[in-house]
């Protein structure tokens, strides 16, 4: 599908595209092009729909807490690794 922008830079998506993917999109700039990705009204529900029951039983606060703990541990491990490399 090819679309052009109007004089104000807007792109109009056909009705069937909006019905299929929704009205909200994230614009991602890549080195050679841009891409539109649909954004769900509830992003967490969108992720759950995409990955099945991988997050079943977890609420958003628990997922955030777990992610922060994993990131903190990765940072700590990386700092320890760099420190031991300097000592060698």
């Amino acid at each position: 599908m090819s679309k052009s922008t109007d004089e104000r830079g807007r792109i109009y998506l056909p009705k069937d595209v909006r019905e299929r993917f929704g009205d909200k999109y994230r614009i991602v700039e890549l080195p050679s092009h841009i891409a539109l990705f649909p954004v769900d009204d509830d992003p967490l529900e969108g992720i759950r729909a995409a990955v099945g029951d991988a997050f079943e039983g977890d609420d958003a606060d628990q997922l955030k807490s777990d992610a922060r703990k994993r990131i903190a541990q990765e940072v700590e491990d990386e700092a320890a690794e760099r420190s031991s490399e300097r000592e060698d």
Side-chain angles (χ1 to χ4, degrees):
M1 171 186 318
S2 178
K3 292 289 176 183
S4 298
T5 60
D6 68 7
E7 67 279 353
R8 294 181 66 192
R10 295 176 293 197
I11 296 174
Y12 292 93
L13 299 175
K15 183 179 179 180
D16 62 319
V17 171
R18 294 189 317 269
E19 287 175 346
R20 182 173 175 200
F21 296 105
D23 293 323
K24 295 168 106 179
Y25 295 84
R26 176 172 300 280
I27 300 171
V28 178
E29 295 180 47
L30 302 166
S32 63
H33 62 281
I34 62 168
L36 296 177
F37 291 94
V39 175
D40 292 309
D41 290 331
D42 182 352
L44 189 55
E45 281 304 314
I47 291 170
R48 283 189 171 124
V51 299
D53 61 357
F55 298 119
E56 190 159 334
D58 293 332
D59 67 358
D61 290 334
Q62 184 62 45
L63 292 171
K64 288 178 191 176
S65 175
D66 292 347
R68 286 184 181 118
K69 287 176 187 173
R70 281 193 300 272
I71 291 168
Q73 185 63 51
E74 287 176 16
V75 168
E76 191 175 307
D77 293 346
E78 187 175 315
E81 185 177 315
R82 286 183 183 174
S83 177
S84 69
E85 288 175 357
R86 286 187 206 141
E87 292 173 1
D88 293 339

